Amino acid sequence: MATDFDMVVIGSGPGGYTAAIRAAQLGFRTAIVEKYKVLGGTCTNVGCIPSKAMLDSTENFDIIQHKASKQGIEVGNLNLNFPALVDRNKNVVKQNNDGLNFLMKKNKIQVFTGVGSFVNNTSITVTNEGEAPKTVTSQYFIIATGSKPSTLPGINIDKQRIITSTEALYLKEKPGSMVIIGGGVIGVELASAYHRIGTKVTIIEYADSLIPTMDKELGKELGKLLSKSGIELITGSPVKSAENTGSSVKVTYTDANKAEKEITADYCLVAVGRKSYTAGLALENTKVKLDAKGMVEVNENLQTAEPNIYAIGDVIRGAMLAHKAEDEGIAVVDGLKGHQHKINYLRIPGVVYTWPEVAGVGYTEEQLKAEGIEYRKGKFPFLASGRARASDDTDGFVKVLSDPKYGEILGVHIIGARAADLIASAVIAMEFELTDTELTKISYAHPTFAEALKDAFLISSGKGAINI
Ligand code: FAD
Ligand code: NAD
């Protein structure tokens, strides 16, 4: 059957736009469908990009306020222009939107604005308000419709005082106080950003430590450091309700001693996870199935029950990360052209952009214990790093977990300055199955934060660190 396109991607987040670009590069006649007027999805518009812009601005403010004077830099009156900070976030986002428009044109990808809904497995309609619906046919489809914030039973997100990360990134006023429900990735990143500019922040987390999906030692250390900086942490405490009382929000929770507690703040940010988004796709017109959590079911090739319809990113199982969505987009399209690209999910790093940063790849220590996998451990503190001392960034450590027989790297977990960039070398080491001993034999520039990795490899390999 002749179709309008070879490939139609539904959703223009990092999964969707990456898949579309690769498809066009490989010669597919490609279109992308996005329900919003701007391309880029959650990550570009209300996720990775504006949150990192905000974290960067507030980190600069914090450095000038707290670190500069220690280093002999005297600053006069310091003011924060909150609306200007938020405007800069918008501007950074717009630069990325413009970049994506350019990439679509450059790669001759047709962009349809509107909601994509399946008619059958080779045809969709695109519906945009005020326009007649268009029918678009294609040989292949990729569903890349992402995710939306979750909430808790009994909590109504009114977007006024009870908000999600989407509103928190674009508030009109600097909040005096904010309660954050959930000490996961969004919770700790936005807590850091607001605390740095003077908002009184309280995080209430259900688990007994922060960022519970990462190696536990990282969450514990991050908890200590964020508490020390002045963020109030209430762990082991499920939140039960949040109520907008007009001028503030009343949040109730059960504390670690099972006592019912109440706390009031200007805003309540609900950051308890995200759920995959399939509304509007009309999947009932296809054989595509959803799992019990409402995620699109795919096989190991990311193929749905309709062999010509694939799904990637937040809408399917696995970590909700932009680079995971991108890797999956590339894997699907390369696979269709016969280029094998198997994703090893254990080697996808996770990064938290607090200060210090947190990053991990591979098995956590808890997973190794649970699976009965033997390991040896090398842990090196940044306090013993010359580079860290030179920049007053001595918090945190590098932890290497390796196989006791051959020294293959099983996991690397870092909390410390520049962990987000340091983790890349650990990913390479794992991908190419390098051993801790081999990793002690290469040269690390001095003085760098990367030297902390070398000392951790020296410890795990049994040779012993040089610097402690
Ligand atoms: P999305 O980015 O969610 O894009 C899906 C797109 O599909 C949306 O534009 C949506 O409008 C569109 N769509 C949905 N249904 C239809 C339809 N029927 N028709 C047409 N279009 C449709 N990840 C990181 O790796 N690093 C980070 O630093 C990071 N920071 C984050 C910060 C925040 C505050 C948040 C909320 C998330 C963050 N993430 C981060 C997670 C990251 O944003 C997601 O993992 C990523 O966006 C998933 O990409 P995706 O392509 O699967 O979907
Ligand atoms: P998350 O899963 O990271 O954290 C949610 C937290 O809420 C968990 O710690 C959980 O224990 C807690 N929680 C659940 N119910 C609770 C209750 N009743 N009371 C108190 N706490 C409760 O989810 P998130 O922080 O909302 O982030 C959503 C997704 O976005 C994540 O999958 C994350 O990977 C992605 N993201 C990534 C980055 C990054 O890569 N830097 C940044 C932001 C978001």
Side-chain angles (χ1 to χ4, degrees):
M1 183 185 99
T3 53
D4 303 329
F5 294 95
D6 303 319
M7 171 64 76
V8 170
V9 181
I10 308 178
S12 72
Y17 72 71
T18 305
I21 292 170
R22 174 62 107 227
Q25 285 172 338
L26 293 180
F28 288 87
R29 293 171 302 142
T30 306
I32 192 162
V33 184
E34 170 54 56
K35 69 175 186 172
Y36 291 119
K37 286 191 180 69
V38 288
L39 300 178
T42 304
C43 179
T44 305
N45 296 294
V46 292
C48 327
I49 300 298
S51 63
K52 265 78 260 182
M54 190 166 181
L55 281 158
D56 195 66
S57 304
T58 57
E59 196 179 308
N60 288 336
F61 187 69
D62 192 64
I63 289 170
I64 299 167
Q65 252 191 333
H66 297 114
K67 209 164 158 184
S69 61
K70 274 213 284 185
Q71 300 185 1
I73 303 162
E74 288 167 16
V75 184
N77 275 345
L78 190 63
N79 285 314
L80 180 90
N81 181 341
F82 186 73
L85 182 151
V86 174
D87 276 351
R88 178 187 168 262
N89 289 351
K90 290 181 186 162
N91 191 30
V92 172
V93 167
K94 179 162 186 320
Q95 288 168 36
N96 283 273
N97 296 141
D98 292 347
L100 288 171
N101 291 338
F102 164 79
L103 289 173
M104 296 304 117
K105 279 206 182 86
K106 179 186 162 203
N107 289 288
K108 300 187 174 54
I109 297 164
Q110 180 149 354
V111 177
F112 290 97
T113 304
V115 175
S117 313
F118 284 96
V119 177
N120 55 46
N121 70 325
T122 55
S123 175
I124 60 167
T125 53
V126 179
T127 314
N128 194 18
E129 227 180 270
E131 291 174 17
K134 296 183 184 78
T135 300
V136 179
T137 60
S138 179
Q139 186 183 0
Y140 296 111
F141 288 90
I142 297 178
I143 300 172
T145 48
S147 62
K148 293 276 177 207
S150 299
T151 187
L152 296 170
I155 297 189
N156 171 35
I157 293 172
D158 60 22
K159 300 191 182 180
Q160 301 300 314
R161 295 209 170 266
I162 304 177
I163 59 177
T164 70
S165 52
T166 301
E167 293 74 47
L169 289 166
Y170 298 106
L171 287 177
K172 289 199 173 64
E173 55 170 22
K174 189 191 93 176
S177 56
M178 183 183 277
V179 168
I180 301 182
I181 309 177
V185 195
I186 292 181
V188 297
E189 287 189 354
L190 290 178
S192 303
Y194 276 106
H195 168 68
R196 289 170 191 160
I197 57 173
T199 299
K200 184 183 177 314
V201 176
T202 306
I203 299 178
I204 310 178
E205 164 58 46
Y206 174 85
D208 63 359
S209 56
L210 298 177
I211 46 170
T213 54
M214 298 187 83
D215 188 281
K216 207 171 171 94
E217 266 193 276
L218 298 178
K220 280 191 174 160
E221 185 70 9
L222 183 66
K224 269 192 235 156
L225 296 171
L226 293 187
S227 287
K228 202 168 103 188
S229 78
I231 294 175
E232 191 185 350
L233 288 189
I234 303 172
T235 53
S237 302
V239 169
K240 295 177 70 182
S241 68
E243 185 197 340
N244 182 346
T245 58
S247 56
S248 62
V249 186
K250 195 173 78 183
V251 176
T252 55
Y253 62 97
T254 311
D255 78 5
N257 301 317
K258 302 270 176 287
E260 297 292 301
K261 292 277 172 70
E262 198 177 288
I263 184 168
T264 301
D266 293 345
Y267 288 88
C268 169
L269 165 61
V270 181
V272 294
R274 295 178 60 89
K275 52 180 187 300
S276 56
Y277 185 75
T278 54
L281 279 172
L283 293 176
E284 61 281 6
N285 296 332
T286 67
K287 293 194 198 112
V288 177
K289 300 252 171 333
L290 300 182
D291 67 15
K293 290 183 180 158
M295 297 178 152
V296 173
E297 249 177 31
V298 288
N299 65 17
E300 59 168 11
N301 298 319
L302 306 174
Q303 202 169 26
T304 68
E306 291 280 9
N308 68 322
I309 303 179
Y310 292 77
I312 61 171
D314 282 12
V315 79
I316 64 166
R317 79 283 181 279
M320 290 188 172
L321 295 172
H323 44 288
K324 177 252 190 192
E326 292 172 15
D327 294 351
E328 288 176 337
I330 300 277
V332 166
V333 180
D334 279 1
L336 287 172
K337 284 283 178 187
H339 310 301
Q340 262 294 356
H341 179 143
K342 267 247 158 335
I343 296 174
N344 186 334
Y345 286 92
L346 197 58
R347 292 181 194 145
I348 294 181
V351 172
V352 186
Y353 296 82
T354 45
W355 199 263
E357 291 172 338
V358 184
V361 64
Y363 287 105
T364 63
E365 219 176 323
E366 294 71 47
Q367 284 169 333
L368 290 173
K369 282 182 185 147
E371 292 187 29
I373 301 171
E374 286 188 27
Y375 63 94
R376 58 194 191 202
K377 177 166 158 179
K379 194 171 160 192
F380 183 81
F382 281 102
L383 191 61
S385 148
R387 181 67 186 87
R389 283 195 292 261
S391 58
D392 284 323
D393 274 321
T394 50
D395 288 328
F397 55 81
V398 173
K399 176 164 96 172
V400 168
L401 305 169
S402 59
D403 167 68
K405 193 161 172 206
Y406 301 108
E408 188 180 336
I409 307 300
L410 301 173
V412 175
H413 306 283
I414 309 172
I415 175 164
R418 306 192 194 175
D421 296 297
L422 291 180
I423 203 69
S425 62
V427 176
I428 296 171
M430 288 185 69
E431 183 62 29
F432 295 99
E433 298 179 359
L434 299 176
T435 67
D436 48 12
T437 305
E438 285 167 331
L439 288 158
T440 64
K441 292 180 183 163
I442 57 174
S443 183
Y444 296 71
H446 177 73
T448 56
F449 288 97
E451 288 171 299
L453 272 170
K454 182 178 186 176
D455 269 300
F457 291 133
L458 280 165
I459 300 167
S460 71
S461 65
K463 289 181 171 181
I466 298 293
N467 293 297
I468 43 171

